[in-house]
Amino acid sequence: MDYVEKDDFSLDHYKKCLSSAIEKKYRFFKVSDVDLAIKNRMSIIMRHDVDTQLDIALEMAEIEYLQNIASTFFIRFHSHSYNPMCLKDAYKIKKIGEMGHEIGLHYELDFYSILDSDPKDGIRMEINLLSEIIGKKIISVAPHEPTRTGVKHLEEKLSENLGIKYQAYDKLFFNNFKYISDSSCRWRDGSMNYHIENGRSKKLYILTHPYWWFKNSPIENY
């Protein structure tokens, strides 16, 4: 792995990685398709945590759509840079869903705790609102900053009550797939391109954060 390969977060490079994966006979799956992905010989579950930069997320969704790939985008309600309740952003989220991608909730329990509100009521409200925006029931969730908060799962009873069937940190994903993430703009244990090219991991669970990806330079985003 050389430096350029490991740290290339351009959207052109992302597109090339997807093309390479297809050429090597990987099939792409959404988070909610995990059971199918496990049965398939060479599978990639592609997940995007949209902390910020909804516009980049939309571009990634379009790149995937043009290659007949469907992935999962987890949407926040408390980002400083986009707002699902703002019409222009709601349209973008809806468009991502209309391209066949899965929309899930990127939840933050501590947001409500800080406000002395009931996190369970807050999560329920967000799921209902996001479901209304995309016109489809939300069935998958992922926590925001689980390393910082120590929260990786909703309580089983709460998830059942909310109709949540898939949680991004369920053992089902980590027991059956090689997990790699671009958190903090640094690939853990090898880049996306590295794992696709060497082909030793037949099943990959890849997490990206659109904030790190760009057209020409990282300074476009910050």
Side-chain angles (χ1 to χ4, degrees), residues 97-126:
E98 288 173 345
M99 283 187 279
H101 301 296
E102 178 182 14
I103 301 295
L105 177 66
H106 201 30
Y107 67 86
E108 300 167 85
L109 295 180
D110 52 336
F111 175 85
Y112 295 99
S113 298
I114 291 170
L115 297 176
D116 293 324
S117 299
D118 188 340
K120 296 177 182 178
D121 291 339
I123 298 300
R124 180 177 290 104
M125 176 184 66
E126 291 179 12

Side-chain angles (χ1 to χ4, degrees), residues 35-51:
D35 292 330
L36 291 175
I38 290 173
K39 294 175 183 178
N40 194 65
R41 180 174 175 272
M42 297 182 69
S43 304
I44 295 176
I45 294 179
M46 183 64 71
R47 164 187 159 200
H48 308 282
D49 286 1
V50 190
D51 297 342

Side-chain angles (χ1 to χ4, degrees), residues 73-164:
F73 290 79
F74 287 107
I75 300 296
R76 287 177 72 194
F77 269 83
H78 312 296
S79 173
H80 288 287
S81 62
Y82 74 92
N83 177 7
M85 299 308 294
C86 172
L87 188 58
K88 66 178 180 63
D89 289 338
Y91 277 139
K92 293 171 186 176
I93 295 167
K94 190 175 180 66
K95 184 175 181 180
I96 292 173
E98 288 173 345
M99 283 187 279
H101 301 296
E102 178 182 14
I103 301 295
L105 177 66
H106 201 30
Y107 67 86
E108 300 167 85
L109 295 180
D110 52 336
F111 175 85
Y112 295 99
S113 298
I114 291 170
L115 297 176
D116 293 324
S117 299
D118 188 340
K120 296 177 182 178
D121 291 339
I123 298 300
R124 180 177 290 104
M125 176 184 66
E126 291 179 12
I127 286 175
N128 289 337
L129 288 171
L130 194 54
S131 295
E132 287 295 327
I133 289 171
I134 66 171
K136 190 174 182 180
K137 184 72 176 71
I138 300 298
I139 60 171
S140 58
V141 296
H144 180 56
E145 295 188 333
T147 301
R148 175 183 63 80
T149 64
V151 175
K152 289 189 175 183
H153 298 89
L154 294 178
E155 296 176 1
E156 185 176 350
K157 185 176 180 180
L158 175 60
S159 64
E160 288 179 358
N161 289 339
L162 296 175
I164 298 302

Side-chain angles (χ1 to χ4, degrees), residues 14-30:
Y14 183 69
K15 189 185 302 182
K16 290 176 183 177
C17 287
L18 299 181
S19 296
S20 178
I22 292 171
E23 288 175 4
K24 291 182 178 297
K25 308 302 181 183
Y26 280 100
R27 284 186 59 196
F28 286 82
F29 295 87
K30 298 172 287 187

Side-chain angles (χ1 to χ4, degrees), residues 143-209:
H144 180 56
E145 295 188 333
T147 301
R148 175 183 63 80
T149 64
V151 175
K152 289 189 175 183
H153 298 89
L154 294 178
E155 296 176 1
E156 185 176 350
K157 185 176 180 180
L158 175 60
S159 64
E160 288 179 358
N161 289 339
L162 296 175
I164 298 302
K165 297 180 180 179
Y166 304 94
Q167 299 202 50
Y169 288 94
D170 281 347
K171 291 181 180 179
L172 184 64
F173 296 96
F174 295 89
N175 289 345
N176 292 281
F177 297 83
K178 171 69 178 177
Y179 174 70
I180 60 172
S181 168
D182 68 354
S183 295
S184 299
C185 201
R186 180 172 64 86
W187 288 106
R188 270 74 169 157
D189 198 19
S191 69
M192 175 180 173
N193 186 59
Y194 170 77
H195 285 285
I196 288 171
E197 289 300 322
N198 70 40
R200 285 195 292 270
S201 297
K202 304 302 182 185
K203 291 180 169 55
L204 295 169
Y205 182 27
I206 302 176
L207 168 60
T208 79
H209 298 79

